[in-house]
Amino acid sequence: MPSPFSFSLESPVLSKAELKPEYDVVIVGGGPAGLATAIYAARAMLRTAVISKDFGGQVLDAHSVENYPGFIKTTGQELMNAFKEHAEHFGAELIQATVKDIWREGDHFVVDTDRGSTKAPAIIYATGSTHRKLGVPGEEEFLGKGVSYCAICDAALFQGKVVAVVGGGNMAFMDADLLTQHASKVYIIHRRNEFRAEPLWVERLKKNPKVEFITPYVVERIEGTDKVEKLIIKNRETGETKELPVDGVFIDIGMIPQTELAKRVGVELNERGYIIVREDQSTNVSGFFAAGDVTTGMNGVHQIVTAAAKGAIAALSAYDYLKGKGFVK
């Protein structure tokens, strides 16, 4: 007998829903935060639209997800298919479109897309953030084949292997520390001789016999046949280049929050460009909520489960806002 909790694991078929002139809430962004928001908003009987150019976000790049509750092991594609089907089951309309602009018009927000415009008295902004990339040859080619941006997701795949971490901040050091529990050797490659990571992290890894620091070097190329086999790295002071044989490389040089459209509405950002949210995921702009990796309050924990949790909070807060303002009964 099939499980009552089973979902289609095939490649996602994007919703055929057409953009309507008006909704109670429009969710901008179709990753874990956006889709979780949609589930809760639709269950609250809000007329809900999720507008995104694709559905799943960065999670689609994860070929193995082993840390989402209820799924011992799945792929990013399969998990996001489940999120998508769940949202649609409760009536959320998923609109494949690119949002071009958002502005306030009276007590509503207008959302302009490449498929037309719609409006709603509440917006939940869940566009996420993207990993800052090295921009070197081989990075895109070997994504999922040795190139990773998430040690929590992929560390266990490198049991007994040799890996490199590129970066000098706290996240790079935390990832390197995690990787030492699996890999036989961990190189930390940084373009400076000094690190931005807290001294505690630096000292801890300096004492770990599995870790070797390579500074001041930058990665010039990532090479291999079917998977990552080596890095070509260059000394920034001497110009010397050399090969570094590795089985994988974890890139931790920061995140870029996707906040451009939120800024146009007057939403307040912090010094790093993330949307400042209160505990209820509201912003300084009335009726404008935000959730997931695009916001403050994630404490550096960019995980599917935390993004989904923030989305749930944002949806329930938006419902309370709409009810309090008389937009819904």
Side-chain angles (χ1 to χ4, degrees):
M1 175 181 290
S3 167
F5 302 106
S6 63
F7 295 92
S8 171
L9 302 183
E10 299 174 358
S11 296
V13 176
L14 294 174
S15 173
K16 302 266 195 267
E18 294 293 328
L19 192 65
K20 292 177 180 169
E22 186 174 350
Y23 295 90
D24 294 322
V25 61
V26 169
I27 300 160
V28 180
L35 292 174
T37 300
I39 293 168
Y40 277 78
R43 281 179 56 84
M45 304 303 289
L46 298 178
R47 294 175 299 159
T48 303
V50 185
I51 305 177
S52 182
K53 63 181 179 180
D54 56 39
F55 296 96
Q58 293 181 52
V59 182
L60 297 179
D61 294 330
H63 61 276
S64 179
V65 176
E66 300 180 8
N67 58 1
Y68 192 81
F71 293 79
I72 295 173
K73 185 173 183 178
T74 185
T75 68
Q77 184 83 75
E78 292 169 347
L79 184 59
M80 288 302 95
N81 282 353
F83 270 50
K84 176 180 173 292
E85 188 172 332
H86 198 163
E88 290 183 313
H89 173 77
F90 286 110
E93 296 180 15
L94 275 57
I95 312 295
Q96 186 190 11
T98 298
V99 177
K100 300 192 299 185
D101 203 358
I102 304 172
W103 65 88
R104 188 131 207 180
E105 199 171 87
D107 55 6
H108 283 65
F109 295 93
V110 177
V111 182
D112 186 38
T113 82
D114 60 358
R115 289 182 56 187
S117 298
T118 188
K119 64 178 183 178
I123 294 287
I124 301 177
Y125 196 83
T127 54
S129 58
T130 59
H131 291 281
R132 195 179 299 278
K133 297 184 178 181
L134 292 172
V136 300
E139 184 175 11
E140 296 291 338
E141 177 185 355
F142 293 109
L143 181 61
K145 300 175 183 178
V147 172
S148 176
Y149 299 92
C150 179
I152 293 178
C153 307
D154 297 332
L157 302 174
F158 292 88
Q159 193 70 36
K161 305 288 187 180
V162 176
V163 299
V165 175
V166 182
N170 278 342
M171 188 56 64
F173 275 72
M174 285 190 279
D175 281 357
D177 185 59
L178 174 62
L179 285 161
T180 60
Q181 300 175 34
H182 302 276
S184 61
K185 179 80 174 181
V186 178
Y187 295 105
I188 297 180
I189 303 170
H190 187 46
R191 60 196 185 99
R192 299 190 183 95
N193 288 312
E194 300 79 28
F195 301 99
R196 291 177 289 107
E198 296 173 2
L200 178 67
W201 279 112
V202 177
E203 288 306 309
R204 177 182 298 177
L205 292 191
K206 279 184 176 179
K207 294 176 182 177
N208 192 315
K210 286 188 175 183
V211 176
E212 181 177 334
F213 294 88
I214 302 179
T215 63
Y217 276 82
V218 293
V219 176
E220 294 268 280
R221 297 191 307 278
I222 301 170
E223 297 185 348
T225 305
D226 298 322
K227 60 182 181 60
V228 171
E229 295 173 359
K230 62 184 175 182
L231 306 179
I232 307 302
I233 59 176
K234 179 180 179 179
N235 188 301
R236 296 181 69 235
E237 295 177 353
T238 67
E240 169 203 8
T241 61
K242 63 180 182 179
E243 294 184 359
L244 184 68
V246 296
D247 299 295
V249 54
F250 290 79
I251 300 169
D252 278 310
I253 57 175
M255 304 290 291
I256 304 174
Q258 306 298 293
T259 55
E260 186 58 40
L261 296 176
K263 285 193 291 185
R264 298 182 192 178
V265 186
V267 172
E268 187 179 1
L269 311 179
N270 72 0
E271 68 282 355
R272 296 177 57 206
Y274 289 87
I275 294 174
I276 297 173
V277 292
R278 305 181 181 97
E279 287 187 1
D280 64 353
Q281 304 302 126
S282 64
T283 71
N284 63 303
V285 175
S286 178
F288 196 104
F289 300 81
D293 289 357
V294 76
T295 67
T296 56
M298 298 298 283
N299 298 319
V301 183
H302 298 282
Q303 294 295 295
I304 303 169
V305 68
T306 51
K310 298 295 184 178
I313 295 169
L316 296 175
S317 298
Y319 173 77
D320 288 341
Y321 168 81
L322 292 168
K323 190 172 182 180
K325 292 289 186 179
F327 290 111
V328 298
K329 294 182 179 180

